[in-house]
Amino acid sequence: MVDGGDGVTGGRGVFETVVIAGQELRRSNVNAVAVDVLYLFTTAFFATLAIRGFWPALIAAFPLVVLLSFAWMSSRLFLFTNIVVIAVSIAVTRAGMMPL
């Protein structure tokens, strides 16, 4: 029986997945990396906005859904990165280390 692995790594180990991600980052040009960083910053901004109350969460919900859907269409690794950025930005904001 062939092991298909999980959905995120596609049956590869964590180390091999990190190596592949590093190779993809190295192949990207500077502009593409800058756009990805800006994309992640925007996702973090809307995540911190979403935990500020009902109305800010309502305002941030649609942009977050759109950003995550674009990340899903890009690659699963980029979607996973966005989810990690959301979790980290919420944790850091709750800890009071990143005010909005």
Side-chain angles (χ1 to χ4, degrees):
M1 184 168 141
V2 177
D3 181 24
D6 60 8
V8 176
T9 62
R12 294 181 288 270
V14 174
F15 179 73
E16 186 177 352
T17 302
V18 170
V19 169
I20 291 171
Q23 290 171 351
E24 289 297 321
L25 185 64
R26 187 184 53 176
R27 285 186 212 135
S28 299
N29 61 19
V30 176
N31 292 334
V33 173
V35 168
D36 288 346
V37 169
L38 182 62
Y39 192 98
L40 293 172
F41 177 81
T42 306
T43 302
F45 169 75
F46 282 119
T48 58
L49 182 65
I51 63 171
R52 295 294 177 171
F54 176 74
W55 289 109
L58 196 61
I59 292 168
F62 182 70
L64 275 173
V65 168
V66 170
L67 289 169
L68 288 175
S69 68
F70 283 144
W72 171 259
M73 288 185 277
S74 174
S75 70
R76 289 189 190 146
L77 182 62
F78 193 55
L79 175 68
F80 178 72
T81 305
N82 276 275
I83 292 171
V84 167
V85 163
I86 289 171
V88 168
S89 63
I90 288 173
V92 170
T93 302
R94 288 282 184 201
M97 296 165 41
M98 184 172 69
L100 182 62

